[in-house]
Amino acid sequence: MTANLLLKQRHALIQQQLQADGRVLALDLARQLDVSEDTIRRDLREMAAAGLCQRVYGGALPLPPNGGSLSQRQHESPESKARLAQAAVSLVRAGQVLFLDAGSTNLAIATALPPLALTVITNAPAIAMALMERPEIELIMAGGRVDRRAGASLGPQALRAVERMHPDVCFLGACGADAEAGITSFNYDEAEFKRSIAGASRAVAVAVTSDKLGTAAPFGVLATGLLQHLVLESSADAAHVAAFERQGVQVLRARAR
């Protein structure tokens, strides 16, 4: 009974520190709670299995918000996403081939694309629909089985559709973004597709709202060192910005409200 109580107390303290600091380190927790690192690692494994955190090398990060289906996410923070989109499209030049990954922020980017001659590839039906009435844009849809929650074509057919494509800029959707953990996703098939198109692209850009910054989802997509551009809200935490910049990522800030 005492051991069980101590276990619950440790988990509560770890959760409190995770919320306060944005990450926890196993070594620091072991010293603070006067237990072994193995005990803390076991605690973090149990907490991760319970969906309370995401384990990373040396410790743990908070999980990103899991905001439901694409249609639900479209209605969350639309003004913030519109500002991120305006900053993101500053990377776009006439004549480029772009890949627009599924996601509510990338849907805002599609809407904000300037009136330039472009080729846009997407695996997201909602993004394709948003660009249907743009005659200056050549639109290519990567088809296959549609995952309704992701709002995207995923799986072998979608992978085959993009395997010979080499976009100039890939606007990648992200569930979590952290300088150490990189870009991550909740969905295994989605992570596989994202890795494939990111690896084939000449440059990768990710636009994320602040609630995803400093978080990690279970499936890795892209190491930070392979990311060229990160678009953040004007209020993004300076420590996170500096951590990405130290790894050579160009950070663009959206305009203030």
Side-chain angles (χ1 to χ4, degrees):
M1 182 71 177
T2 303
N4 189 48
L5 178 62
L6 290 174
L7 174 67
K8 290 180 179 178
Q9 288 176 335
R10 281 202 313 274
H11 285 197
L13 287 169
I14 292 169
Q15 190 68 15
Q16 288 171 12
Q17 189 162 329
L18 192 61
Q19 292 172 351
D21 298 340
R23 67 177 63 234
V24 291
L25 297 175
L27 179 60
D28 292 346
L29 286 171
R31 289 171 177 167
Q32 178 184 337
L33 301 177
D34 195 24
V35 295
S36 70
E37 276 192 73
D38 284 342
T39 296
I40 294 298
R41 292 192 190 99
R42 185 168 58 249
D43 287 343
L44 294 178
R45 284 197 298 271
E46 292 172 357
M47 292 175 68
L52 298 175
C53 67
Q54 178 60 39
R55 289 189 68 214
V56 294
Y57 181 77
L61 289 171
L63 286 168
N66 195 350
S69 68
L70 176 60
S71 59
Q72 293 170 322
R73 298 196 305 273
Q74 283 178 235
H75 302 292
E76 296 174 358
S77 306
E79 297 86 0
S80 296
K81 292 171 184 177
R83 288 191 290 272
L84 285 171
Q86 288 297 328
V89 298
S90 69
L91 298 169
V92 176
R93 302 290 181 266
Q96 284 182 326
V97 177
L98 309 178
F99 182 84
L100 284 179
D101 191 18
S104 54
T105 301
N106 283 354
L107 179 56
I109 290 173
T111 304
L113 285 173
L116 300 173
L118 300 166
T119 298
V120 175
I121 309 161
T122 186
N123 64 329
I127 288 175
M129 288 298 296
L131 297 174
M132 283 290 289
E133 304 303 322
R134 298 283 300 272
E136 77 279 16
I137 293 177
E138 181 180 357
L139 182 60
I140 299 173
M141 180 72 196
R145 179 184 60 83
V146 175
D147 183 308
R148 287 181 171 84
R149 183 177 178 83
S153 296
L154 301 174
Q157 189 172 340
L159 285 167
R160 285 195 299 271
V162 299
E163 64 184 3
R164 291 186 176 87
M165 297 178 180
H166 300 284
D168 295 300
V169 183
C170 169
F171 288 97
L172 200 64
C175 295
D178 179 76
E180 292 185 22
I183 305 303
T184 53
S185 174
F186 279 112
N187 182 298
Y188 176 84
D189 289 336
E190 193 174 15
E192 183 181 22
F193 181 89
K194 291 174 189 291
R195 282 194 298 271
S196 178
I197 190 62
S201 301
R202 293 180 176 88
V204 180
V206 173
V208 292
T209 48
S210 292
D211 57 348
K212 296 180 178 181
L213 194 58
T215 69
F219 300 107
V221 173
L222 191 71
T224 300
L226 301 176
L227 178 66
Q228 282 73 41
H229 311 285
L230 182 65
V231 187
L232 301 176
E233 296 185 68
S234 61
S235 59
D237 182 83
H240 288 302
V241 173
F244 276 100
E245 289 179 334
R246 281 195 296 272
Q247 296 199 48
V249 180
Q250 179 195 20
V251 177
L252 304 176
R253 297 261 199 160
R255 63 175 176 80
R257 185 176 304 183

